[in-house]
Amino acid sequence: MIPVSRPSMGKEELEAVGKVFETGWLGLGSTVLEFENKLKEYTGAKNAIAVTNGTAALHIALDGFGVGPGDEVIVPSLTFAATIQAILAVGATPVFCEVMPQTLNVDIKDVENRVTPRTKAIMPVHYCGNACDMDALLKIADARGIKIIEDAAHAFGTVYKGKKIGGFGHCACFSFDAIKNITCGEGGAVLLPDDAIAEKIRRKRVLGIDKDTWARYQNKRLWFYEVVDTGYRYHMSNINAAIGLVQFGKLDKFLARKREITKNYDAAFQNMASVLPLENDHENTAQFCYILRVVKERDAFMEFLKERGAATGVHYIPNHEQPVFKRFAKGPLPVTELLGAQICTLPLTPDMTDADVRTVVDAVTDFDKSRR
Ligand SMILES: *Cc1c(COP(=O)(O)O)cnc(C)c1O
């Protein structure tokens, strides 16, 4: 079965982990600092804070910006549950907004309509890696003192108007979990320009302790520390950072291959009656996943592809339909609900062979023919 997603790893990653073992320093240390520096260098971000995972990045970013009880956060219903859970974890209220059918990115007009005096943040998701209209979002936000905290989990490597996602704006959160554009095994990062909030997030990452372990180690009074803020145990470990650093060296190759497959898919799926490709920006997008809209009979489509040896998935089920988030839904979201019933994720991995790609394309083509 051709998987929907799978990390691409080699013995290089294993060797890098082995080197960390030899140093005896497994937790937060110089390898994490190296990974953060690499993130800054690659994106152009002023500050980068590496954490345990993307969900932790979203949570600690919201906390760092002071989002809390009584505040509203505008967020697409169509996203991974992590985005919503991060909002609830700081005690704020998610306000679900619509997405656009062409890209699954937030509908700017709908976002604007949902702003209230209590709106503290907007969390756009760069779906599949295609960038949201950041200029429009920042304009809405800056006029009202609202923060844009990007869920950039899909968009590591994406370029928006000549700038890397994470290298501009108020704050971008990345994930380096097993299937993202690069992986640390598990990992995440918060990138932002504001030094004071970065410092606050850095402290919160290690239980609100004023200096991270590495800095304390270099201090003369080894035992001294002060707890100056609330916080978490969210720091990345040297083990995970070592994997990420090796993956960094492969990123361009990964993205080039995924771009090539995306172009192939997009060309093959034009003018089909039963499926609609999204509008993928081949030039600027670091394509994370490949999503099609199956106009009807999605279950049959997924079953058909399975029988032909290609796995599929659904990313994502609308959150306002989820048992625990339902209570935040204020009325229907017709576009999201329609898309939620149509979207289907096809295999897209750097290690797919041309034959794998052909298997997927042929299966979709045959499904379309069978429905004419
Ligand atoms: C992966 C992902 C996250 C969470 O990242 P983890 O590292 O898995 O915690 C958040 N939002 C989106 C859209 C994601 O795809």
Side-chain angles (χ1 to χ4, degrees):
M1 189 72 75
I2 304 162
V4 172
S5 51
R6 176 189 276 166
S8 176
M9 303 163 294
K11 60 177 188 321
E12 307 81 25
E13 282 83 352
L14 203 55
E15 278 165 13
V17 170
K19 288 209 185 87
V20 172
F21 272 49
E22 282 163 25
T23 67
W25 193 296
L26 305 185
L28 175 65
S30 62
T31 319
V32 176
L33 287 182
E34 209 184 313
F35 184 65
E36 290 177 339
N37 287 334
K38 196 85 191 152
L39 288 172
K40 289 193 280 185
E41 180 192 303
Y42 180 72
T43 59
K46 190 143 176 255
N47 298 286
I49 302 133
V51 293
T52 41
N53 56 60
T55 311
L58 294 166
H59 178 207
I60 208 168
L62 285 166
D63 191 1
F65 277 91
V67 181
D71 296 331
E72 291 177 355
V73 179
I74 299 175
V75 64
S77 170
L78 201 67
T79 178
F80 190 37
T83 330
I84 316 303
Q85 293 288 24
I87 297 168
L88 295 181
V90 295
T93 305
V95 174
F96 294 122
C97 72
E98 288 277 36
V99 291
M100 299 178 297
Q102 298 84 359
T103 55
L104 311 182
N105 280 337
V106 286
D107 180 326
I108 301 294
K109 268 263 142 300
D110 194 57
V111 167
E112 199 160 19
N113 287 338
R114 290 174 198 273
V115 171
T116 76
R118 286 166 66 182
T119 308
K120 186 90 176 238
I122 301 169
M123 298 182 88
V125 179
H126 305 296
Y127 226 101
C128 300
N130 290 298
C132 293
D133 186 348
M134 286 301 294
D135 282 350
L137 286 167
L138 287 165
K139 199 169 150 211
I140 291 170
D142 287 339
R144 298 167 175 88
I146 295 169
K147 293 300 170 198
I148 304 286
I149 298 177
E150 299 159 59
D151 182 339
H154 291 189
F156 191 66
T158 289
V159 175
Y160 175 80
K161 297 196 176 170
K163 295 168 289 189
K164 286 256 167 58
I165 292 290
F168 67 98
H170 301 157
C171 180
C173 300
F174 291 100
S175 162
F176 307 109
D177 76 17
I179 61 160
K180 294 300 185 343
N181 284 348
I182 58 169
T183 183
C184 291
E186 291 283 349
V190 183
L191 273 59
L192 73 169
D194 187 308
D195 292 333
I197 294 178
E199 220 22 66
K200 199 171 155 83
I201 292 173
R202 208 172 281 285
R203 275 198 307 267
K204 282 181 176 290
R205 174 175 67 167
V206 195
L207 298 171
I209 291 172
D210 71 335
K211 284 197 177 97
D212 67 35
T213 332
W214 184 244
R216 200 157 19 98
Y217 184 69
Q218 294 172 318
N219 206 316
K220 284 206 179 69
R221 297 158 81 203
L222 287 182
W223 51 268
F224 187 76
Y225 64 88
E226 270 183 316
V227 186
V228 296
D229 199 351
T230 56
Y232 316 95
R233 283 284 281 176
Y234 274 179
H235 59 274
M236 181 177 277
S237 76
N238 274 354
I239 297 173
N240 295 104
I243 298 171
L245 281 166
V246 176
Q247 289 265 304
F248 240 116
K250 303 178 177 182
L251 175 61
D252 288 347
K253 200 183 72 188
F254 289 168
L255 294 182
R257 179 60 180 151
K258 284 165 87 177
R259 175 169 293 142
E260 189 174 42
I261 299 167
T262 300
K263 281 183 178 173
N264 249 299
Y265 280 164
D266 277 346
F269 305 149
Q270 299 301 322
N271 310 316
M272 284 193 178
S274 52
V275 299
L276 277 170
L278 300 179
E279 282 173 14
N280 296 306
D281 180 345
H282 299 152
E283 198 181 330
N284 297 302
T285 294
Q287 194 81 29
F288 163 59
C289 58
Y290 189 92
I291 294 181
L292 267 179
R293 291 169 62 191
V294 184
V295 182
K296 53 182 190 220
E297 295 184 85
R298 182 178 61 187
D299 286 355
F301 176 85
M302 294 174 80
E303 194 53 39
F304 192 94
L305 262 70
K306 189 172 147 202
E307 275 164 23
R308 300 284 290 264
T312 55
V314 174
H315 300 93
Y316 301 95
I317 297 169
N319 283 293
H320 73 285
E321 296 172 354
Q322 296 288 2
V324 73
F325 304 140
K326 248 198 259 192
R327 67 199 159 102
F328 298 106
K330 285 198 197 124
L333 295 163
V335 180
T336 299
E337 284 156 27
L338 175 72
L339 293 167
Q342 292 183 335
I343 51 175
C344 180
T345 312
L346 299 185
L348 181 66
T349 65
D351 294 335
M352 279 176 83
T353 65
D354 290 346
D356 292 337
V357 177
R358 216 169 308 123
T359 298
V360 177
V361 168
D362 287 350
V364 175
T365 307
D366 290 346
F367 176 84
D368 186 56
K369 277 186 194 148
S370 75
R371 291 301 187 272
R372 279 176 194 266

